[in-house]
């Protein structure tokens, strides 16, 4: 579904991603872990060109999105993004937050989008919050709404950038539960996270990044039980 070839990203003299080649197949749950500053979030943000790569190509469903002629807005409609800090519009109701993009892009008419929004809110147990504003919700509720907002566009893949790191510990579970449900339904997901339990339980593949490179990857059981690189072993010894 996503094919990354020789991806590099620099911010002035700082090389953040160093010649990464990677692929993500339909239905995969790829979990990206690693220390702070390893390039995880930059890698994720390059996948839908929120960050413009310095070099390399990214192909999504056979279309090269790094080609200047590519319609990146059309492509982004198929790549849902869930951010660390929710990024909800504070001056809009929850329902409006969810329906804005599908209506604005012509994916749905307003009444159809409203119906879809309520169905999605029921799914995450928040239908009674449809007319509330983001400031009236807990962090865990806001993040569940952010996931629902991404789902409203009916994306082919969901990108999660540390979706639980801004939450109080007791709210992490309710967000991970929604993500696990999506995984069970077969959604293709790329998740940057510090939640090792989630990586072990839900991931089909775990990538370990450090210094702008993918140092090691494997299916979760093998990755956690038998890490091969010394840097991975050191990292896991601190977080497990």
């Amino acid at each position: 579904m996503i094919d990354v070839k020789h991806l590099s990203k620099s911010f002035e003299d700082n090389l953040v991603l160093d010649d990464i080649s990677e692929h993500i197949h339909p239905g995969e749950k790829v979990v990206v872990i690693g220390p702070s500053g390893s390039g995880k979030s930059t890698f994720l943000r390059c996948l839908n060109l929120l960050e413009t790569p310095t070099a390399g190509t990214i192909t999504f469903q056979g279309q090269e999105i790094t080609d200047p002629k590519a319609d990146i807005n059309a492509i982004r409609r198929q790549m849902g993004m869930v951010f660390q800090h929710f990024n909800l519009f504070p001056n809009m109701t929850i329902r409006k937050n969810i329906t804005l993009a599908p209506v604005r892009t012509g994916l749905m008419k307003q009444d159809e989008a409203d119906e879809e929004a309520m169905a999605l809110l029921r799914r995450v147990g928040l239908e009674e919050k449809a007319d509330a504003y983001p400031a009236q919700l807990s962090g865990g509720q806001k993040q569940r709404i952010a996931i629902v907002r991404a789902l409203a566009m009916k994306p082919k893949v969901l990108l999660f950038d540390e979706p639980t790191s801004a939450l109080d510990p007791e709210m992490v579970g309710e967000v991970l539960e929604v993500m696990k449900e999506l995984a069970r339904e077969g959604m293709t997901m790329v998740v940057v996270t510090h939640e090792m339990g989630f990586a072990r339980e839900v991931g089909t593949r775990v990538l370990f990044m450090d210094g702008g490179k993918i140092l090691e990857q494997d299916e979760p059981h093998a990755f956690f039980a038998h890490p091969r690189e010394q840097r991975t072993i050191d990292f896991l010894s601190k977080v497990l």
Side-chain angles (χ1 to χ4, degrees):
M1 183 176 278
I2 302 175
D3 194 28
V4 177
K5 287 186 177 153
H6 303 297
L7 174 68
S8 294
K9 174 65 180 177
S10 297
F11 294 100
E12 296 179 348
D13 295 338
N14 183 18
L15 181 64
V16 180
L17 298 178
D18 185 6
D19 193 27
I20 290 177
S21 293
E22 192 50 66
H23 51 266
I24 290 141
H25 295 293
E28 271 200 301
K29 328 287 175 258
V30 177
V31 181
V32 186
I33 66 170
S36 293
S38 58
K40 307 183 299 293
S41 289
T42 303
F43 172 65
L44 192 78
R45 291 168 69 86
C46 281
L47 293 182
N48 65 356
L49 296 197
L50 283 178
E51 297 288 358
T52 306
T54 308
T57 61
I58 300 168
T59 306
F60 174 64
Q61 293 195 308
Q63 182 178 7
E64 190 189 313
I65 67 174
T66 37
D67 182 336
K69 295 192 286 291
D71 181 354
I72 188 57
N73 289 328
I75 292 156
R76 279 193 190 127
R77 286 170 206 164
Q78 301 177 63
M79 303 174 92
M81 182 95 179
V82 179
F83 299 90
Q84 183 176 345
H85 294 291
F86 330 127
N87 290 18
L88 298 174
F89 298 111
N91 59 334
M92 293 182 187
T93 64
I94 296 310
R95 188 196 322 254
K96 187 71 176 167
N97 261 284
I98 297 166
T99 62
L100 180 70
V103 172
R104 187 71 64 84
T105 59
L107 185 69
M108 298 177 199
K109 297 276 195 292
Q110 185 68 54
D111 54 351
E112 189 186 351
D114 284 338
E115 206 171 296
E116 177 71 9
M118 292 311 293
L120 287 167
L121 285 170
R122 271 194 293 280
R123 183 170 160 179
V124 297
L126 290 173
E127 59 188 308
E128 78 285 356
K129 301 293 186 187
D131 297 314
Y133 286 85
Q136 297 168 289
L137 272 56
S138 71
Q141 289 172 330
K142 285 180 199 169
Q143 195 57 293
R144 279 144 68 198
I145 297 300
I147 295 171
V148 159
R149 181 176 64 175
L151 287 173
M153 290 297 290
K154 305 203 179 303
K156 300 282 195 329
V157 59
L158 277 179
L159 310 175
F160 292 88
D161 189 8
E162 298 195 20
T164 58
S165 60
L167 300 179
D168 293 334
E170 60 196 298
M171 293 173 183
V172 169
E174 64 193 54
V175 173
L176 292 181
E177 203 43 59
V178 174
M179 294 169 65
K180 287 174 189 173
E181 183 64 30
L182 290 172
R184 285 192 286 270
E185 290 169 8
M187 173 63 77
T188 307
M189 299 161 72
V190 185
V191 185
V192 171
T193 185
H194 296 291
E195 300 290 336
M196 298 301 142
F198 178 86
R200 187 176 267 157
E201 184 183 342
V202 179
T204 51
R205 202 151 45 98
V206 181
L207 309 184
F208 174 70
M209 287 187 70
D210 191 37
K213 290 181 177 289
I214 296 172
L215 290 191
E216 183 166 353
Q217 58 174 296
D218 211 331
E219 55 85 23
H221 176 75
F223 179 89
F224 287 106
H226 308 291
R228 295 182 299 273
E229 298 286 334
Q230 188 58 46
R231 184 68 187 93
T232 316
I233 294 165
D234 293 344
F235 176 78
L236 291 177
S237 73
K238 293 187 176 76
V239 299
L240 292 179

